[in-house]
Amino acid sequence: AYTDLTNYLKPEFAKRVLAEEYVEEVDPDISKPKPDFTLPRRELDPNKPMVALTFDDGPNKKTTVPILDILKENGSVATFFVLGNRVASNADILKRMLEEGSEIGNHSFNHKELTKLSYEELMDQVRSTQYAVIETTGFEPKLLRPTYGSFDDALQSSVEMPLILWSVDTRDWKSRDASSVLEHVLKNVRDGDIVLMHDIYDSTAEAVRLLVPELVSKGYQL
Ligand code: ZN
């Protein structure tokens, strides 16, 4: 009934009414499943250097699982910005991420460039991914990494989550070469950096196998 009013409103105003209606309709809190595990608490020493490893576009069994293995072996964690359309078929991997202390972020449902979408399409990309992760794990992602790193005022004002970019770009998708990824990070990394990688390439998994113990031995908390 509320939406019937929109025929009588100015277009910009009607859009706002419709938008509110839309958000309510898919509010993920409505049927939030209860998680069957608790998140581990991670202690960090604020006086020691830290680096955040981040992985986009997954999960992907063949490459995400070995990355999780290496993180675990080195007492480390990372942030995985997942695609919503890869969530349901990789439920076990998502649960493992959270159980072992890693974080899951939102990277859209199917890698649409969010700044090129209508408000409704944009919210659908974000909310359907939130929904998929909540349904699978019981936990709601708190962070959004915009696809292609592109964002604008509309995206920032539409989405409540912080938009997380990066400070070290490995360009792993381009080189597909483990040693160049490894060298790039070791050469450029500094305290407080956010490193961008993609957990869908064998070369990245291979780079991570060497990178994680190396960063830990240099004193970085991941
Ligand atoms: Zn991406």
Side-chain angles (χ1 to χ4, degrees):
Y2 193 33
T3 45
D4 294 342
L5 286 171
T6 54
N7 298 330
Y8 307 98
L9 297 172
K10 284 182 186 170
E12 55 201 289
F13 211 47
K15 198 180 160 202
R16 208 182 300 166
V17 172
L18 283 170
E20 279 169 16
E21 186 101 343
Y22 183 83
V23 168
E24 268 171 28
E25 203 177 290
V26 293
D27 186 345
D29 289 327
I30 289 167
S31 63
K32 202 176 218 172
K34 291 221 164 56
D36 53 9
F37 57 94
T38 52
L39 296 179
R41 216 183 121 72
R42 184 162 164 78
E43 301 289 347
L44 288 172
D45 182 345
N47 299 311
K48 287 187 182 167
M50 304 177 204
V51 169
L53 298 185
T54 66
F55 297 94
D56 291 6
D57 297 0
N60 176 46
K61 275 190 177 52
K62 187 165 174 266
T63 40
T64 307
V65 170
I67 289 172
L68 286 169
D69 291 343
I70 289 295
L71 289 168
K72 190 180 181 189
E73 281 166 30
N74 290 274
S76 294
V77 299
T79 305
F80 293 87
F81 290 98
V82 302
L83 292 177
N85 67 0
R86 289 178 179 245
V87 165
S89 54
N90 291 297
D92 50 337
I93 298 181
L94 268 91
K95 281 186 189 162
R96 181 179 167 190
M97 286 170 178
L98 297 178
E99 280 169 349
E100 296 180 355
S102 283
E103 181 161 6
I104 294 172
N106 184 325
H107 192 49
S108 85
F109 194 78
N110 53 1
H111 219 275
K112 288 272 160 58
E113 188 162 1
L114 300 174
T115 50
K116 295 191 170 157
L117 303 178
S118 69
Y119 178 82
E120 285 76 14
E121 290 168 327
L122 151 68
M123 292 312 285
D124 189 46
Q125 286 283 319
V126 173
R127 296 245 170 205
S128 56
T129 303
Q130 293 294 93
Y131 218 35
V133 175
I134 291 167
E135 270 188 326
T136 304
T137 67
F139 291 96
E140 183 173 9
K142 300 281 192 292
L143 310 171
L144 179 76
R145 169 158 287 157
T147 45
Y148 310 101
S150 60
F151 64 96
D152 56 14
D153 290 345
L155 177 58
Q156 280 182 303
S157 59
S158 305
V159 175
E160 287 169 16
M161 290 178 283
L163 309 183
I164 307 297
L165 298 177
W166 54 84
S167 53
V168 174
D169 186 354
T170 62
R171 297 174 70 78
D172 59 342
W173 56 274
K174 188 144 199 229
S175 74
R176 308 285 183 96
D177 181 61
S179 57
S180 68
V181 170
L182 180 68
E183 275 167 36
H184 184 84
V185 177
L186 293 177
K187 207 164 134 189
N188 293 287
V189 76
R190 293 188 315 188
D191 184 20
D193 270 332
I194 300 175
V195 179
L196 170 63
M197 291 182 276
H198 297 81
D199 55 324
I200 53 172
Y201 304 117
D202 291 328
S203 50
T204 298
E206 175 60 17
V208 167
R209 194 175 66 79
L210 305 164
L211 177 63
V212 168
E214 188 65 26
L215 289 173
V216 169
S217 78
K218 286 180 185 296
Y220 286 109
Q221 304 170 98
L222 304 187

Coordinates of all heavy atoms in Angstrom, one line a residue, residues 15 23 81 106-109 111-127 129-130 142-166:
K15 N 11.6 7.1 -5.6 CA 12.8 6.2 -5.5 C 13.2 5.9 -4.1 O 13.5 4.8 -3.7 CB 13.9 6.8 -6.3 CG 15.0 5.8 -6.7 CD 16.1 6.5 -7.4 CE 17.3 5.6 -7.4 NZ 18.6 6.3 -7.6
V23 N 14.7 -2.4 1.0 CA 15.6 -2.8 2.1 C 14.9 -3.6 3.1 O 15.4 -4.6 3.5 CB 16.3 -1.5 2.7 CG1 17.0 -1.9 3.9 CG2 17.2 -0.9 1.7
F81 N 37.2 -11.8 0.9 CA 36.1 -11.1 0.3 C 35.4 -12.0 -0.8 O 36.0 -12.1 -1.9 CB 36.5 -9.7 -0.3 CG 36.9 -8.8 0.8 CD1 38.3 -8.6 1.1 CD2 36.0 -8.0 1.5 CE1 38.6 -7.7 2.1 CE2 36.3 -7.1 2.5 CZ 37.7 -7.0 2.8
N106 N 32.3 -9.1 2.0 CA 31.3 -9.1 0.9 C 32.1 -8.5 -0.3 O 32.6 -7.4 -0.3 CB 30.1 -8.3 1.3 CG 29.0 -8.3 0.2 OD1 29.2 -8.3 -1.0 ND2 27.8 -8.3 0.7
H107 N 32.0 -9.2 -1.5 CA 32.6 -8.7 -2.7 C 31.6 -8.7 -3.9 O 32.0 -9.0 -5.0 CB 33.9 -9.6 -3.0 CG 34.8 -9.0 -4.1 ND1 35.2 -7.7 -4.1 CD2 35.4 -9.6 -5.2 CE1 36.0 -7.5 -5.1 NE2 36.1 -8.6 -5.8
S108 N 30.4 -8.5 -3.5 CA 29.2 -8.6 -4.5 C 28.8 -10.0 -4.8 O 29.5 -10.9 -4.4 CB 29.5 -7.8 -5.8 OG 30.2 -8.6 -6.7
F109 N 27.7 -10.2 -5.5 CA 27.2 -11.5 -5.7 C 27.9 -12.2 -6.9 O 28.3 -13.3 -6.9 CB 25.7 -11.5 -6.0 CG 25.0 -12.8 -5.9 CD1 24.8 -13.5 -4.7 CD2 24.7 -13.5 -7.1 CE1 24.3 -14.7 -4.6 CE2 24.2 -14.8 -7.0 CZ 24.0 -15.4 -5.8
H111 N 30.3 -10.3 -9.1 CA 31.3 -9.4 -9.6 C 30.9 -8.3 -10.5 O 31.6 -7.9 -11.4 CB 32.5 -10.2 -10.2 CG 33.8 -9.6 -9.8 ND1 34.4 -8.6 -10.5 CD2 34.7 -9.9 -8.8 CE1 35.6 -8.3 -10.0 NE2 35.8 -9.0 -8.9
K112 N 29.7 -7.8 -10.3 CA 29.3 -6.6 -11.1 C 30.0 -5.4 -10.5 O 30.3 -5.3 -9.4 CB 27.8 -6.4 -10.9 CG 26.9 -7.4 -11.6 CD 26.6 -7.0 -13.0 CE 26.2 -8.2 -13.9 NZ 25.0 -8.9 -13.4
E113 N 30.3 -4.4 -11.4 CA 30.9 -3.2 -11.0 C 29.8 -2.3 -10.4 O 28.8 -1.8 -11.0 CB 31.5 -2.4 -12.2 CG 32.3 -1.2 -11.7 CD 33.3 -0.8 -12.7 OE1 33.4 -1.3 -13.8 OE2 34.0 0.2 -12.4
L114 N 29.9 -2.1 -9.0 CA 28.8 -1.6 -8.3 C 28.4 -0.2 -8.6 O 27.3 0.2 -8.5 CB 29.1 -1.7 -6.8 CG 29.3 -3.2 -6.3 CD1 29.7 -3.2 -4.8 CD2 28.1 -4.0 -6.5
T115 N 29.4 0.6 -9.1 CA 29.1 2.0 -9.4 C 28.4 2.1 -10.7 O 28.0 3.3 -11.1 CB 30.4 2.8 -9.5 OG1 31.3 2.1 -10.3 CG2 31.1 2.9 -8.1
K116 N 28.2 1.0 -11.4 CA 27.5 1.1 -12.7 C 26.1 0.6 -12.6 O 25.4 0.4 -13.7 CB 28.3 0.4 -13.8 CG 29.6 1.0 -14.0 CD 30.3 0.5 -15.3 CE 31.5 1.4 -15.6 NZ 32.5 0.6 -16.4
L117 N 25.6 0.3 -11.4 CA 24.3 -0.3 -11.2 C 23.3 0.7 -10.7 O 23.6 1.7 -10.1 CB 24.4 -1.4 -10.3 CG 25.3 -2.6 -10.6 CD1 25.3 -3.6 -9.5 CD2 25.0 -3.2 -11.9
S118 N 22.0 0.5 -10.9 CA 20.9 1.2 -10.2 C 21.0 0.9 -8.7 O 21.6 -0.1 -8.3 CB 19.6 0.8 -10.8 OG 19.2 -0.5 -10.4
Y119 N 20.3 1.8 -8.0 CA 20.3 1.5 -6.5 C 19.8 0.1 -6.2 O 20.3 -0.6 -5.4 CB 19.4 2.6 -5.8 CG 19.3 2.4 -4.4 CD1 20.2 2.8 -3.5 CD2 18.2 1.7 -3.8 CE1 20.1 2.6 -2.1 CE2 18.1 1.4 -2.5 CZ 19.1 1.9 -1.6 OH 19.0 1.6 -0.3
E120 N 18.7 -0.3 -6.9 CA 18.1 -1.6 -6.6 C 19.0 -2.7 -7.0 O 19.2 -3.7 -6.2 CB 16.8 -1.8 -7.4 CG 15.6 -1.0 -6.8 CD 15.6 0.5 -7.1 OE1 16.5 0.9 -8.0 OE2 14.9 1.3 -6.5
E121 N 19.7 -2.6 -8.1 CA 20.7 -3.6 -8.5 C 21.9 -3.7 -7.6 O 22.3 -4.8 -7.2 CB 21.2 -3.4 -10.0 CG 20.1 -3.5 -11.0 CD 20.6 -3.0 -12.4 OE1 21.3 -2.0 -12.4 OE2 20.2 -3.5 -13.4
L122 N 22.3 -2.5 -7.2 CA 23.4 -2.5 -6.3 C 23.1 -3.2 -4.9 O 23.8 -4.0 -4.4 CB 23.8 -1.0 -6.1 CG 24.4 -0.6 -4.7 CD1 25.8 -1.2 -4.6 CD2 24.5 0.9 -4.6
M123 N 21.9 -2.8 -4.4 CA 21.5 -3.4 -3.1 C 21.3 -4.9 -3.2 O 21.6 -5.6 -2.3 CB 20.3 -2.7 -2.5 CG 20.5 -1.2 -2.1 SD 22.0 -1.0 -1.1 CE 21.5 -1.6 0.5
D124 N 20.8 -5.3 -4.4 CA 20.6 -6.7 -4.6 C 22.0 -7.5 -4.6 O 22.1 -8.6 -4.0 CB 19.9 -7.0 -5.9 CG 19.5 -8.4 -6.1 OD1 18.9 -9.0 -5.1 OD2 19.7 -9.0 -7.1
Q125 N 23.0 -6.9 -5.2 CA 24.3 -7.5 -5.2 C 24.9 -7.6 -3.8 O 25.4 -8.7 -3.4 CB 25.3 -6.7 -6.0 CG 25.1 -6.7 -7.5 CD 25.7 -8.0 -8.1 OE1 26.7 -8.5 -7.7 NE2 25.0 -8.6 -9.0
V126 N 24.7 -6.6 -3.0 CA 25.2 -6.6 -1.7 C 24.4 -7.5 -0.7 O 25.0 -8.3 0.0 CB 25.3 -5.1 -1.1 CG1 25.7 -5.1 0.3 CG2 26.3 -4.3 -2.0
R127 N 23.1 -7.3 -0.7 CA 22.3 -8.0 0.2 C 22.2 -9.5 -0.1 O 22.1 -10.3 0.9 CB 20.9 -7.4 0.2 CG 20.8 -5.9 0.7 CD 20.1 -5.8 2.0 NE 20.3 -4.5 2.5 CZ 20.1 -4.2 3.8 NH1 19.8 -5.2 4.6 NH2 20.3 -3.0 4.2
T129 N 24.5 -11.3 -1.2 CA 25.7 -11.9 -0.7 C 25.7 -12.0 0.9 O 26.1 -13.0 1.5 CB 26.9 -11.1 -1.2 OG1 26.9 -11.1 -2.6 CG2 28.2 -11.7 -0.7
Q130 N 25.2 -10.9 1.5 CA 25.1 -10.9 3.0 C 24.2 -12.1 3.4 O 24.5 -12.9 4.3 CB 24.4 -9.6 3.5 CG 25.2 -8.4 3.3 CD 26.4 -8.3 4.2 OE1 27.5 -8.7 3.7 NE2 26.3 -7.9 5.4
K142 N 30.9 -7.9 7.8 CA 30.9 -6.5 8.3 C 31.5 -5.6 7.3 O 31.5 -4.4 7.5 CB 31.6 -6.4 9.6 CG 31.0 -7.3 10.7 CD 29.8 -6.6 11.4 CE 29.4 -7.3 12.6 NZ 28.8 -8.6 12.4
L143 N 32.2 -6.1 6.3 CA 33.0 -5.3 5.4 C 32.7 -5.5 4.0 O 32.3 -6.6 3.6 CB 34.5 -5.6 5.6 CG 35.1 -5.7 7.0 CD1 36.5 -6.2 7.0 CD2 35.1 -4.3 7.6
L144 N 32.8 -4.5 3.1 CA 32.6 -4.6 1.7 C 33.8 -4.2 1.0 O 34.4 -3.2 1.2 CB 31.4 -3.8 1.2 CG 31.1 -3.8 -0.3 CD1 30.4 -5.1 -0.6 CD2 30.3 -2.6 -0.7
R145 N 34.3 -5.1 0.1 CA 35.3 -4.6 -0.9 C 34.7 -4.4 -2.2 O 34.2 -5.4 -2.8 CB 36.5 -5.7 -1.0 CG 37.4 -5.3 -2.2 CD 38.7 -5.9 -2.1 NE 39.5 -5.3 -1.1 CZ 40.6 -5.9 -0.5 NH1 40.9 -7.1 -0.8 NH2 41.3 -5.2 0.4
P146 N 34.6 -3.2 -2.7 CA 34.0 -2.9 -4.0 C 34.8 -3.6 -5.1 O 36.0 -3.5 -5.1 CB 34.0 -1.4 -4.1 CG 34.9 -0.9 -3.0 CD 35.2 -2.0 -2.0
T147 N 34.0 -4.2 -6.0 CA 34.7 -4.8 -7.2 C 35.4 -3.8 -8.0 O 35.0 -2.6 -8.1 CB 33.6 -5.4 -8.1 OG1 32.5 -4.5 -8.2 CG2 33.0 -6.7 -7.5
Y148 N 36.6 -4.1 -8.5 CA 37.5 -3.3 -9.2 C 38.0 -2.1 -8.4 O 38.5 -1.1 -8.9 CB 36.8 -2.8 -10.5 CG 36.2 -3.9 -11.3 CD1 34.9 -4.1 -11.3 CD2 37.1 -4.7 -12.1 CE1 34.3 -5.2 -12.0 CE2 36.5 -5.8 -12.8 CZ 35.2 -6.0 -12.8 OH 34.6 -7.1 -13.5
G149 N 37.7 -2.1 -7.1 CA 38.1 -1.0 -6.3 C 37.3 0.3 -6.6 O 37.7 1.4 -6.2
S150 N 36.3 0.2 -7.4 CA 35.6 1.4 -7.8 C 34.4 1.7 -6.8 O 33.6 0.9 -6.5 CB 35.2 1.4 -9.2 OG 34.3 0.3 -9.5
F151 N 34.4 3.0 -6.4 CA 33.4 3.4 -5.5 C 33.1 4.9 -5.7 O 33.9 5.6 -6.3 CB 33.8 3.2 -4.0 CG 34.9 4.1 -3.6 CD1 34.7 5.3 -2.9 CD2 36.2 3.6 -3.8 CE1 35.8 6.0 -2.5 CE2 37.3 4.4 -3.4 CZ 37.1 5.6 -2.8
D152 N 31.9 5.3 -5.3 CA 31.5 6.7 -5.4 C 30.6 7.1 -4.3 O 30.3 6.3 -3.4 CB 30.8 7.0 -6.8 CG 29.6 6.1 -7.0 OD1 29.1 5.5 -6.0 OD2 29.1 6.0 -8.2
D153 N 30.1 8.3 -4.2 CA 29.3 8.8 -3.1 C 28.0 7.9 -3.0 O 27.6 7.6 -1.9 CB 28.9 10.2 -3.3 CG 30.1 11.2 -3.1 OD1 31.1 10.7 -2.6 OD2 30.0 12.4 -3.5
A154 N 27.4 7.5 -4.2 CA 26.2 6.8 -4.1 C 26.4 5.4 -3.4 O 25.6 5.0 -2.6 CB 25.7 6.5 -5.5
L155 N 27.5 4.8 -3.8 CA 27.8 3.5 -3.1 C 28.1 3.7 -1.6 O 27.5 2.9 -0.8 CB 29.1 2.8 -3.8 CG 29.5 1.5 -3.2 CD1 28.4 0.5 -3.2 CD2 30.8 1.0 -4.0
Q156 N 28.9 4.7 -1.3 CA 29.2 4.9 0.1 C 27.9 5.2 0.9 O 27.8 4.8 2.1 CB 30.2 6.0 0.2 CG 31.6 5.5 0.0 CD 32.7 6.6 0.2 OE1 32.6 7.7 -0.5 NE2 33.6 6.4 1.0
S157 N 27.0 6.0 0.3 CA 25.8 6.3 1.1 C 24.8 5.2 1.1 O 23.9 5.1 2.0 CB 25.2 7.6 0.6 OG 24.9 7.5 -0.7
S158 N 24.8 4.3 0.1 CA 23.8 3.2 0.0 C 24.2 2.1 1.0 O 23.3 1.4 1.4 CB 23.7 2.7 -1.4 OG 23.5 3.7 -2.3
V159 N 25.4 1.8 1.2 CA 25.9 0.6 1.9 C 26.4 1.0 3.3 O 27.1 2.0 3.4 CB 27.0 -0.1 1.1 CG1 27.5 -1.3 1.9 CG2 26.5 -0.5 -0.2
E160 N 25.9 0.3 4.3 CA 26.3 0.7 5.7 C 27.7 0.2 6.1 O 28.3 0.7 7.0 CB 25.3 0.1 6.7 CG 23.9 0.9 6.6 CD 22.9 0.1 7.4 OE1 23.2 -0.8 8.2 OE2 21.7 0.5 7.2
M161 N 28.1 -0.8 5.3 CA 29.4 -1.4 5.7 C 30.6 -0.5 5.3 O 30.5 0.2 4.2 CB 29.6 -2.7 5.0 CG 28.7 -3.8 5.6 SD 28.9 -5.3 4.7 CE 28.0 -5.0 3.2
P162 N 31.7 -0.5 6.0 CA 32.9 0.2 5.5 C 33.4 -0.5 4.2 O 33.4 -1.7 4.1 CB 33.9 0.0 6.6 CG 33.3 -0.8 7.7 CD 31.9 -1.2 7.3
L163 N 33.8 0.4 3.3 CA 34.4 -0.1 2.0 C 35.9 -0.3 2.2 O 36.6 0.7 2.6 CB 34.2 0.9 0.9 CG 32.7 1.4 0.7 CD1 32.6 2.3 -0.5 CD2 31.8 0.2 0.5
I164 N 36.4 -1.5 2.0 CA 37.8 -1.7 2.3 C 38.6 -1.9 1.0 O 38.3 -2.8 0.2 CB 38.0 -3.0 3.1 CG1 37.1 -3.0 4.4 CG2 39.4 -3.3 3.5 CD1 37.4 -1.9 5.4
L165 N 39.6 -1.0 0.8 CA 40.4 -1.1 -0.4 C 41.7 -1.8 0.0 O 41.7 -2.7 0.8 CB 40.6 0.2 -1.0 CG 39.3 0.8 -1.5 CD1 39.5 2.2 -2.1 CD2 38.6 0.0 -2.6
W166 N 42.9 -1.4 -0.5 CA 44.1 -2.0 -0.2 C 45.3 -1.0 -0.4 O 45.1 0.0 -1.0 CB 44.3 -3.2 -1.2 CG 44.2 -2.8 -2.6 CD1 45.2 -2.3 -3.4 CD2 43.1 -2.9 -3.4 NE1 44.7 -2.0 -4.6 CE2 43.4 -2.4 -4.7 CE3 41.7 -3.3 -3.2 CZ2 42.5 -2.3 -5.7 CZ3 40.8 -3.2 -4.3 CH2 41.2 -2.7 -5.5

